[in-house]
Amino acid sequence: MNNEKKTRTVFLYKDYFTDFYLKQRQKVKDKIIWTFRLIETQQKVPEDYLKHLEGTNGLYEIRIQQGRDIFRIFCFFDEGKLVVLANGFQKKTKKTPKTEIEKALKIKQEYETSK
């Protein structure tokens, strides 16, 4: 996968994602990086890894599974080619917590305002 041409770029905005990432086990970090590479290089990313959240005005979730642990990283697109990372969390229930979605939408708004 290393020499594949990028179709989009994963972009870190402030420390929202980094704070989450640094707390993870190495295996989880490796899976997150693997997933980012997939998102950057695949023309059409399978929904197993990147999915639009209904009714959120452009919010997506990057889906990561490591063993039994499930993680979500919210992101959004900027000019189609840039995937801007917002917050991440470990998913422990069927439904994505509303507070996490609201946090991601705030980050998205902050990002768009700061441009």
Side-chain angles (χ1 to χ4, degrees), residues 7-80:
T7 50
R8 60 190 73 78
T9 302
V10 171
F11 172 77
L12 297 175
Y13 175 61
K14 295 196 172 173
D15 290 333
Y16 297 113
F17 168 74
T18 311
D19 291 343
F20 160 79
Y21 179 79
L22 293 173
K23 292 177 192 149
Q24 304 311 316
R25 300 185 324 271
Q26 190 56 51
K27 272 190 160 175
V28 175
K29 288 178 180 176
D30 294 344
K31 186 73 181 259
I32 289 170
I33 298 303
W34 181 89
T35 308
F36 287 172
R37 285 206 188 102
L38 179 97
I39 289 167
E40 287 186 328
T41 56
Q42 298 302 305
Q43 196 63 52
K44 182 157 175 36
V45 180
E47 262 197 8
D48 289 354
Y49 300 106
L50 182 67
K51 184 174 191 244
H52 179 254
L53 288 174
E54 296 295 317
T56 58
N57 190 16
L59 203 59
Y60 287 76
E61 61 179 10
I62 296 170
R63 309 166 117 205
I64 307 218
Q65 187 160 355
Q66 176 56 49
R68 289 201 167 144
D69 295 329
I70 296 171
F71 301 89
R72 294 292 186 256
I73 300 158
F74 291 115
C75 63
F76 46 92
F77 285 86
D78 183 10
E79 294 166 22

